[in-house]
Amino acid sequence: MRLLHTSDWHLGRSFGPVSLRGTQEQFCDQLVQMVCAEGIELVAIAGDIYDRAIAPTESIELFRETVRRIRAAGAVIAAITGNHDGHDRVSPYDDLLDASGVYLRGGYEGVGRVVRHQFSDGPLDVVLLPFLEPQAAPDGFGVDDRSPEASGDTEAVLERRRRRTHQSVLTHAVGQARLAMTGGRSLALAHAFVVGGVVSDSERQLEVGGTGAVTADLFDGFSYTALGHLHRPQEIGRPTLRYSGTPLPYSFSEDHQKSLVLVDLAPDGTCVTQSVPLTVGRGVITLTGPIDELLDPTRHPDAHGRFVRAIVTDCETVLDAKSRLERIYPYVVEIRLAPDGSPGPVPPRPAAEAMSPFDATTAFWTEIEGSVPEGDAGFE
């Protein structure tokens, strides 16, 4: 059988002030065309269908229509919610949808159950592992009733809640699924940050301090694991454990080729994977230089149709940079004045009230002009 792995659609998202609705519709069209052209039997969507918990009506309609078109093309859909999705809104009718060939899961309800679907060349065990917020887990989740830890007193319950991590809740969910698997070929969908993955600027952090990470060995034994959350397409140690990435760029750090993953999965569980480039979406580019150089239309011809971040390095004050650059680059969405050429944020400085008048004036001059004032200012 052949499956298509995608994730992180983020329907309803904008790029800066620019709506991506039309481009997301183009992606959905290309996805459906690929399902038809490649003989896809299963489309896996590994979370973050929407960009926020309460999705815009037009985004909900776009997803619904895309699901209808995929099913009309003959493919089954397996989808999970991510950390951006409101799982209680996306998947309240999952048991009713199962009969229609759309397996959609969110939150803790039913997590760890195995969906066994019959495809053209045999059965496949599908394990759906949506984003699991550790602190939202039911009090008894992951606790053996016979264990000393199963005490129901308030202090014991609070202690169990404090100890929960993404690793612990996902380990329990995967363990429950393994008990119900048949030992044949299998597919896992998970929305998580797996250790070893490369992040982008547009991902929402799951938890501070690294406690949101899970280890790759959690998915050992699955024929293929379709991951979601990280926006850059990448393998985590092996071709069968991978992120498909977002279908469109959502930050200036996503200057890589966007793609989907095509997976041929044999009855014995062996699989062959390949990346299929996407041809929709506007690319991103960061331009750095003096304003006069950036305004030369011949210097950056490949930037005219992309989303542009312009880092203006003039030491002198630059007026109306945004409106002037828009005449050359219609999709410039970010301007940074950085005389030192650095795209990073301005380092923190002491509060003005804690500085002497001379130091405050010097700091202001240096930030605006990009250099320390020269000569005797005559006011020290």
Side-chain angles (χ1 to χ4, degrees):
M1 64 158 293
R2 174 168 281 189
L3 68 92
L4 195 60
H5 168 198
T6 178
S7 73
D8 296 273
W9 294 10
H10 289 280
L11 299 181
R13 191 169 186 136
S14 298
F15 198 107
V18 181
S19 170
L20 294 175
R21 178 181 175 182
T23 311
Q24 289 179 330
E25 290 175 350
Q26 292 172 10
F27 157 68
C28 290
D29 287 341
Q30 185 170 5
L31 175 67
V32 174
Q33 291 167 10
M34 195 177 302
V35 169
C36 296
E38 298 292 341
I40 304 298
E41 292 192 58
L42 172 65
V43 175
I45 309 172
D48 282 351
I49 297 166
Y50 301 114
D51 191 54
R52 51 187 182 271
I54 302 178
T57 301
E58 61 268 20
S59 298
I60 296 173
E61 292 173 347
L62 176 58
F63 181 64
R64 182 179 60 200
E65 182 60 24
T66 304
V67 167
R68 284 176 176 167
R69 295 171 65 191
I70 292 172
R71 288 296 296 125
V76 172
I77 296 172
I80 56 175
T81 57
N83 56 300
H84 280 251
D85 297 308
H87 69 84
D88 53 340
R89 293 173 175 269
V90 176
S91 60
Y93 309 113
D94 52 4
D95 54 338
L96 300 177
L97 288 173
D98 285 1
S100 70
V102 179
Y103 301 106
L104 178 58
R105 298 290 186 271
Y108 282 89
E109 182 64 30
V111 69
R113 296 176 188 166
V114 176
V115 173
R116 187 169 174 80
H117 191 93
Q118 185 73 29
F119 289 95
S120 62
D121 60 347
L124 173 69
D125 285 343
V126 182
V127 178
L128 298 151
L129 303 164
F131 171 72
L132 300 175
E133 169 56 56
Q135 300 311 312
D139 284 331
F141 188 80
V143 179
D144 187 338
D145 292 338
R146 298 164 296 179
S147 167
E149 295 184 352
S151 171
D153 66 81
T154 301
E155 188 57 38
V157 170
L158 291 175
E159 180 60 25
R160 288 201 298 269
R161 291 177 184 174
R162 283 192 290 266
R163 292 206 312 265
R164 286 196 187 109
T165 63
H166 283 260
Q167 178 80 23
S168 68
V169 295
L170 202 52
T171 296
H172 179 68
V174 173
Q176 291 296 105
R178 291 191 193 281
L179 294 175
M181 290 168 60
T182 62
R185 64 180 175 180
S186 57
L187 166 70
L189 279 72
H191 193 89
F193 172 52
V194 181
V195 173
V198 179
V199 302
S200 301
D201 293 343
S202 52
E203 294 140 6
R204 182 183 296 168
Q205 193 171 4
L206 297 182
E207 283 188 11
V208 297
T211 58
V214 301
T215 55
D217 60 0
L218 194 60
F219 305 102
D220 288 351
F222 289 103
S223 304
Y224 182 82
T225 301
L227 295 173
H229 179 57
L230 297 186
H231 290 188
R232 182 180 296 272
Q234 55 194 291
E235 299 176 4
I236 307 297
R238 56 184 184 268
T240 57
L241 177 65
R242 64 195 296 167
Y243 290 94
S244 64
T246 56
L248 304 172
Y250 293 129
S251 71
F252 283 104
S253 64
E254 297 178 51
D255 55 358
H256 49 268
Q257 172 67 55
K258 294 298 182 178
S259 59
L260 304 178
V261 184
L262 194 62
V263 183
D264 288 303
L265 186 55
D268 64 357
T270 59
C271 63
V272 177
T273 65
Q274 60 176 305
S275 295
V276 180
L278 287 165
T279 58
V280 299
R282 196 176 300 282
V284 298
I285 191 169
T286 298
L287 306 180
T288 303
I291 188 67
D292 289 341
E293 177 183 310
L294 297 181
L295 289 172
D296 184 347
T298 65
R299 283 186 174 266
H300 304 284
D302 56 340
H304 296 176
R306 301 189 188 187
F307 288 118
V308 172
R309 172 173 60 187
I311 300 172
V312 183
T313 60
D314 295 74
C315 291
E316 299 79 14
T317 301
V318 177
L319 300 177
D320 300 323
K322 181 77 155 52
S323 59
R324 294 164 68 188
L325 287 166
E326 279 181 330
R327 297 169 195 160
I328 310 298
Y329 314 107
Y331 299 97
V332 59
V333 297
E334 184 178 333
I335 304 290
R336 294 190 185 181
L337 304 179
D340 61 352
S342 170
V346 176
R349 62 173 183 272
E353 58 268 21
M355 304 170 68
S356 69
F358 178 79
D359 288 341
T361 303
T362 301
F364 174 77
W365 178 284
T366 302
E367 180 176 332
I368 297 300
E369 297 297 334
S371 61
V372 178
E374 299 177 357
D376 184 4
F379 52 78
E380 185 172 14

